[in-house]
Amino acid sequence: METLLTHINSPADLKKLPLDKLPKLAQELREFIIDIVSTKEGHLGASLGVVELTIALHYVFDTPTDKLIWDVGHQAYGHKILTGRKEIFETNRQLGGISGFPKRSESPYDDFGTGHSSTAISAILGMAMASKLSGENSKQHIAIVGDASIASGMAFEGLNHLGVTNVNALIILNDNAIGIDPSVGALKKYLTNVKAGTAKDENIFECLNLDYSGPLDGHDVKRLVEELQRLKEVDGPKLLHIITTKGKGLKKAEEDQVVYHAPGKFDKVTGERLKKPQESQPPKYQEVFGHTLVELAQKNKNIVGITPAMPTGSSLKYMMEQIPDRAFDVGIAEQHAVTLAAGMAAQGLIPFCNIYSTFLQRAYDQVIHDVALQNLPVIFCLDRAGLVGQDGPTHHGVFDIAYLRCIPNLTLFAPMNEMELRNIMYTAQLGMDGPIAIRYPRGQGVTIDWKNELEPTPWGTGRCLKEGSKIAVLTVGHIGNEISRLLQTLDQTDAIGHYDMRFVKPLDQKLLRTIFKTYDHIITLEDGCEIGGFGSAVLEFANAEQYVKPVTIFGIPDRFVGHGTIPQTHKLAGIDFETIHSFIQSTLDQCE
């Protein structure tokens, strides 16, 4: 059956529809998103919640001349479909396909890349100021910001500046009381009171000198169009407060908004998630972290847990459920999370600060100034380290080794398996002289029976997994398991030694001296960037010790790696099984 959506390939096509047809288009667009995401996977709930808003924005404004930014970008599926990418939307997040987030190089309608939250207000203000300086006074600038994103420090910095300008900028607060997990904090309570009509007389946004309107029903597309048309004629900085339901239109997604943020494959009619075969599999590293933290905290009353808005993704939720007075979700506030941990450590607590690797980038100064400079024993647990797959370059956690290794006082550790993760967590909470960062990847470990008896890890030591005679392969972290598998397939396997170095900083210099004296060729492997990473550290050691044996570094090359499955992204980066296998085999052949 022919639909309205069939004929819409651009906002120009959308504008030809009469206003009373927009609710039907919203239903079709919602069904289209559900249909594709049910089989291809991706972010679901956020985009379903802004279907009517997406239609209204492109109906009223002259995109892409008028500027439009989505914050966070996983709300933008409907936007992509209405702006010429409907026919290729099934390639979303697939290798070689379109990105799961807005991407400037992908479409002129994607005005700003937004994989991380809370950047849109600053960016749209920059664009609006540029328009004013160019004399383009009629151009409109719109940023859609979630209620979890607007509570972040950077968003407030942008609002603070926006309120003293006279630019044409509209901030749309998409208030659904949830980011990935439920929103937290005093601002959430304030917005709840606004919706209930019980807020204090002063409006926080009006106090920031913004022209405030709302709250409006974000699923009433006709009312949204009317209000956006009105605001289009209002000069200066404005904020429109709309209320939406994340997952709108799919009952299961409305009922379980956390799971249906990115539910995997599901039945598009019932919403039921498709169950994977029930076979014994190793746990995810995040699960090992979460359960081990509870185990440790039950015995050590000084342990506290902190996460910036990722209790489910990081598995800090287990501690929040079982020991709620010592586990804290601080919202999308990585800088605050780090300095909060520093303050706690300064008073004798033992903070486990759990942050995705790619998000710790947002708190770099706090790691240096507030933690390392004062040598405070904060335990950073960096989830999603390495290449993360289909979320792509905004979420790949590949820079942490390089950006942390250069910081004085900071220890850097990468467990190869679940037991090493448990043991380093146990060791760290026994007492340290300074901070430590423990990095581990997204996804499953390698051990089904992983609940080992906890034992201390000797500080700054690696371990020999297999001795050899010609080539030594030095690995850090989970990717070392690939080498263990690879060695079983090589000719002359006796010539290959394998070392799990574990500590990137401090390096096990005693073990490295033995390796350089024993082997003809050294290979390093890491799921982090080559420049400044673990391999660089080994080269620095070799140079200082005046070893001249060849060292080959396998890591992420000096480019941003695209999106795809984790095996596909490993191949793009040249750290996949086949590439390393071929190199080692050819090096062995040359050694003969």
Side-chain angles (χ1 to χ4, degrees), residues 5-64:
L5 188 59
T6 304
H7 300 285
I8 294 177
N9 298 300
S10 70
D13 296 329
L14 172 63
K15 293 176 192 294
K16 295 173 185 175
L17 291 177
L19 185 61
D20 62 4
K21 293 288 187 183
L22 297 188
K24 184 176 187 301
L25 177 63
Q27 180 185 345
E28 293 177 9
L29 181 55
R30 194 166 265 120
E31 290 171 354
F32 187 88
I33 293 170
I34 291 170
D35 186 43
I36 299 293
V37 178
S38 67
T39 59
K40 297 296 184 179
E41 304 187 13
H43 295 104
L44 179 69
S47 285
L48 292 183
V50 294
V51 163
E52 288 83 6
L53 175 63
T54 305
I55 291 170
L57 286 167
H58 285 294
Y59 194 75
V60 171
F61 293 101
D62 182 23
T63 56

Side-chain angles (χ1 to χ4, degrees), residues 413 419-420 423-424 426-427 455-461 502-503:
F413 184 94
M419 289 75 73
E420 285 196 343
N423 285 339
I424 195 65
Y426 169 71
T427 305
E455 57 185 50
T457 300
W459 211 252
T461 62
R502 304 193 295 195
F503 286 88

Side-chain angles (χ1 to χ4, degrees), residues 285 401 412-424 438-441 446-447 457-468 471-484 487 496-512 515 519 522-527 534 538:
Y285 278 97
I401 294 177
L412 185 51
F413 184 94
M416 184 171 163
N417 55 43
E418 298 90 333
M419 289 75 73
E420 285 196 343
L421 174 56
R422 282 170 55 76
N423 285 339
I424 195 65
I438 305 164
R439 74 184 303 266
Y440 48 91
V446 291
T447 314
T457 300
W459 211 252
T461 62
R463 60 189 183 121
C464 177
L465 301 179
K466 179 184 174 300
E467 292 186 339
I471 299 173
V473 184
L474 282 52
T475 62
V476 286
H478 174 81
I479 199 167
N481 295 293
E482 285 294 285
I483 297 301
S484 295
L487 291 178
I496 312 293
H498 181 201
Y499 295 84
D500 170 26
M501 297 304 292
R502 304 193 295 195
F503 286 88
V504 177
K505 184 180 181 181
L507 286 172
D508 187 341
Q509 295 193 359
K510 180 180 177 182
L511 181 57
L512 282 174
I515 291 168
Y519 295 89
I522 316 298
I523 296 171
T524 69
L525 173 62
E526 62 200 292
D527 59 348
F534 164 67
V538 173

Side-chain angles (χ1 to χ4, degrees), residues 295-316:
E295 185 180 338
L296 294 170
Q298 286 170 338
K299 296 175 182 176
N300 187 337
K301 302 304 180 187
N302 286 327
I303 288 177
V304 291
I306 301 167
T307 186
M310 291 293 177
T312 301
S314 71
S315 292
L316 189 71

Side-chain angles (χ1 to χ4, degrees), residues 515-522 539 542 546-551:
I515 291 168
F516 271 91
K517 288 173 182 174
T518 304
Y519 295 89
D520 300 325
H521 196 121
I522 316 298
L539 276 179
Q546 297 185 341
Y547 292 115
V548 294
K549 292 178 178 177
V551 177

Side-chain angles (χ1 to χ4, degrees), residues 30 49-53 174 216-221 224 242-244:
R30 194 166 265 120
V50 294
V51 163
E52 288 83 6
L53 175 63
N174 175 26
L216 289 187
D217 177 1
H219 300 300
D220 185 340
V221 67
L224 284 174
I242 69 168
I243 302 166
T244 62

Side-chain angles (χ1 to χ4, degrees), residues 93-95 390 561 563-573:
R93 303 173 82 247
Q94 310 295 310
L95 182 69
Q390 291 172 313
V561 176
H563 58 271
T565 64
I566 289 178
Q568 288 169 339
T569 55
H570 277 204
K571 190 170 183 64
L572 289 174

